[in-house]
Amino acid sequence: MTRTIIQNGTVVTASDTFAADVWIENGKIVALAQAGIKLGPEDQAIDAKGCYVIPGGIDCHTHLDMPFGGTNSADDFDSGTVAAAHGGTTTIVDFAIQQKGGSLRAGLDAWHAKAEGKAAIDYGFHMIMTEANAGTLEEMAACIREGVTSFKMFMAYPGVFLVDDQQIFRAMLRAGELGGLITMHAEIGLPIDVLIQRALAEGHTAPIYHALTRPEIAEATGTERAIALAEMAKVPVYMVHLSAQRALERVMEARDRGLPAYAETCPQYLFLDEDHLRGDPGDEFKGAGYVATPALRPKHHHDHLWRGLRNYDLSVVATDHCPFCMKDQKELGRNDFSKIPNGMPGVETRLHLLWEGVTQGKISLNRFVEITSTAPAKIFGMYGKKGTIAVGADADVVVWDPKREKVLSKDTLHMRVDYSPFEGRKVPGSPRAVLSRGELIVENDQWVAKKKQGRGQFVRRGTFSL
Ligand code: URP
Ligand code: ZN
Ligand code: ZN
């Protein structure tokens, strides 16, 4: 029987750092040994000398092949998952969408069809609910039985995804009965829409108006309201893509009162700022590449978000990967910032960027593992199978070389998009090897597994149990 051993590395989990060899059989970790297991002639050895051996990244917020803003996100389950793997992410949780007037079933089937035969790494789904009526509330039970145990609802995007408080509250109550988790896009979209209309009427069309019409207070208020609804329903709630200080303060206040309020932020809110939306002198439309929602904030928010990560007020860093090419896609909003498809690429660069945070002392090594893998596994019902290096877990493992510098560029990254928001940025570490269920899939930036498209498996997630 072929076994794989990852030798000479330092294993890092959310809680511990220790020297050990990691033994893998049949896709699972079977032993962590400090000495004494002899390699057989068939066994495959991977040298991790000088490297950290960490659980594969889990990106619990991606939008692959998503119809949005009059076009489709540029990565599908093929290119998006291959890119993820190159960056050390071995599991994604993507958002299936209930079409308005359609069923959750149809939305889920559509997403299974997008992923099957294409995904190169393991994947799960959240379900976006665009209506919480008697039918869809009933259907939530079937989703949960199938391992789709979390639901996203939007206070933003009127006419597209926005649902009212009554629907959110009903869905929360139902999630509470079933052990599901409601995740919230918490920006109050109706007043934002008025600000957008007013800006356009005044002739403001440039990308920076995306930020100027989506103020921080709209997110803070949405966050407060979502937490209040969850408190009334006596259920946990998870804020997606939290971007700013005041929204974070709402989460901190709730957590200080002992409420199960969780929040994720994204690399773009930790590393980029509102000024990117201004573009270059003479090319203000370059800012379109930085249009994502919530909008990038002024720089001073960064410190608050890093502190939130250190202090456990922010639980996760996911990417909200939702790429659109500048050519033909972002271009749709050249004369009207509100028509720029919202979203940025990021699934491949999350670990690279956060590693920079480790080298700068902003987060510890163990916290890096926790926010990129362990916490999303726990919150979204995958822990034990995914999210740690332990006997019995799936052998989703990254050999992380802390000295393997890399320059981020659209030309060498694998995301199917014609720009990088981080073009030219030198990052201090990167994966030497990436294993998915025990199979070496990426080595020194090359895809090395025999199979690529379709090797990923659907992950049936458990109910919320924190
Ligand atoms: O700009 C974004 N975030 N696009 C994806 C949709 C969403 O709101 O997550
Ligand atoms: Zn959102
Ligand atoms: Zn999103």
Side-chain angles (χ1 to χ4, degrees):
M1 179 190 301
T2 312
R3 296 181 298 188
T4 301
I5 178 174
I6 304 175
Q7 284 178 314
N8 310 317
T10 301
V11 173
V12 184
T13 68
S15 56
D16 300 301
T17 307
F18 52 95
D21 295 346
V22 179
W23 284 82
I24 298 166
E25 259 178 49
N26 296 326
K28 301 273 185 197
I29 296 171
V30 293
L32 300 174
Q34 291 196 311
I37 305 182
K38 277 219 162 65
L39 243 77
E42 304 259 278
D43 295 340
Q44 175 189 30
I46 296 172
D47 185 22
K49 194 168 168 35
C51 293
Y52 296 113
V53 180
I54 60 176
I58 298 177
D59 189 346
C60 58
H61 190 153
T62 66
H63 300 280
L64 300 178
D65 201 0
M66 180 206 197
F68 196 45
T71 180
N72 260 47
S73 59
D75 272 315
D76 62 8
F77 276 84
D78 174 359
S79 62
T81 56
V82 169
H86 279 272
T89 286
T90 51
T91 306
I92 59 162
V93 189
D94 201 78
F95 287 86
I97 301 179
Q98 177 214 355
Q99 297 302 323
K100 275 234 154 71
S103 62
L104 302 191
R105 174 78 274 151
L108 212 46
D109 287 347
W111 249 257
H112 277 296
K114 285 173 191 280
E116 272 163 26
K118 279 200 165 175
I121 57 167
D122 292 352
Y123 59 94
F125 298 134
H126 313 277
M127 187 77 226
I128 289 178
M129 289 180 72
T130 55
E131 281 162 310
N133 54 35
T136 55
L137 291 170
E138 186 55 39
E139 281 193 280
M140 287 171 75
C143 291
I144 288 179
R145 277 197 301 276
E146 288 176 35
V148 176
T149 53
S150 43
F151 302 84
K152 183 177 180 188
M153 303 190 87
F154 290 77
M155 293 175 164
Y157 307 129
V160 185
F161 290 134
L162 183 143
V163 281
D164 62 35
D165 282 8
Q166 194 174 73
Q167 295 187 64
I168 293 170
F169 190 58
R170 284 190 201 284
M172 283 179 167
L173 289 170
R174 181 75 171 140
E177 283 166 17
L178 298 167
L181 176 64
I182 299 295
T183 74
M184 286 298 308
H185 182 132
E187 281 182 304
I188 49 170
L190 291 170
I192 286 173
D193 232 28
V194 176
L195 293 179
I196 292 172
Q197 295 319 319
R198 190 178 68 178
L200 289 171
E202 288 169 355
H204 301 303
T205 59
I208 183 62
Y209 281 89
H210 178 69
L212 301 181
T213 55
R214 306 189 86 89
E216 179 190 5
I217 183 68
E219 187 185 2
T221 303
T223 304
E224 182 170 340
R225 215 164 84 192
I227 290 170
L229 292 169
E231 186 175 1
M232 285 164 65
K234 299 188 172 51
V235 296
V237 66
Y238 178 96
M239 246 50 70
V240 294
H241 50 44
L242 187 145
S243 72
Q245 178 188 356
R246 287 170 74 177
L248 174 59
E249 284 166 0
R250 303 303 196 270
V251 174
M252 286 161 63
E253 190 267 338
R255 289 174 68 85
D256 287 349
R257 287 194 294 118
L259 295 176
Y262 302 90
E264 80 184 14
T265 189
C266 311
Q268 53 270 34
Y269 304 119
L270 293 163
F271 291 93
L272 303 174
D273 63 80
E274 190 181 89
D275 283 344
H276 289 91
L277 284 154
R278 296 183 191 280
D280 285 348
D283 182 12
E284 64 180 11
F285 192 68
K286 194 170 174 217
Y290 297 88
V291 167
T293 305
L296 299 181
R297 306 299 185 188
K299 237 190 191 122
H300 69 87
H301 291 268
H302 294 179
D303 285 346
H304 295 279
L305 298 179
W306 283 110
R307 196 173 61 234
L309 286 170
R310 275 194 301 278
N311 293 352
Y312 287 78
D313 290 312
L314 292 171
S315 301
V316 169
V317 177
T319 62
D320 196 6
H321 177 77
C322 189
F324 297 101
C325 290
M326 292 297 289
K327 187 172 175 317
D328 296 338
Q329 296 194 299
K330 293 285 185 183
E331 199 52 50
L332 294 168
R334 179 166 284 280
N335 301 315
D336 175 348
F337 69 91
S338 73
K339 294 198 166 64
I340 299 169
N342 286 196
M344 285 168 55
V347 76
E348 191 172 355
T349 49
R350 180 179 63 131
L351 267 57
H352 291 105
L353 290 163
L354 287 176
W355 183 254
E356 196 179 295
V358 176
T359 62
Q360 293 173 352
K362 289 178 173 158
I363 48 170
S364 71
L365 189 52
N366 304 94
R367 190 70 183 133
F368 168 76
V369 168
E370 190 164 20
I371 60 181
T372 57
S373 182
T374 312
K378 287 184 175 173
I379 292 171
F380 292 108
M382 293 179 274
Y383 189 64
K385 181 176 169 63
K386 308 283 188 194
T388 193
I389 303 278
V391 172
D394 281 1
D396 293 351
V397 183
V398 175
V399 177
W400 185 266
D401 188 337
K403 297 222 157 58
R404 200 161 182 272
E405 284 182 353
K406 189 179 169 84
V407 177
L408 303 180
S409 167
K410 69 172 171 41
D411 298 328
T412 47
L413 291 166
H414 299 78
M415 298 173 283
R416 195 186 283 159
V417 65
D418 61 1
Y419 75 103
S420 167
F422 296 99
E423 187 66 38
R425 189 182 188 110
K426 192 194 264 188
V427 286
S430 43
R432 182 187 291 179
V434 181
L435 290 87
S436 160
R437 277 177 283 103
E439 184 180 20
L440 183 62
I441 56 172
V442 173
E443 195 172 29
N444 297 323
D445 298 325
Q446 300 301 314
W447 185 273
V448 292
K450 273 201 196 86
K451 194 169 171 188
K452 199 182 220 177
Q453 293 87 2
R455 69 164 298 287
Q457 294 177 358
F458 174 65
V459 181
R460 290 171 74 98
R461 295 182 291 113
T463 50
F464 183 82
S465 64
L466 282 184

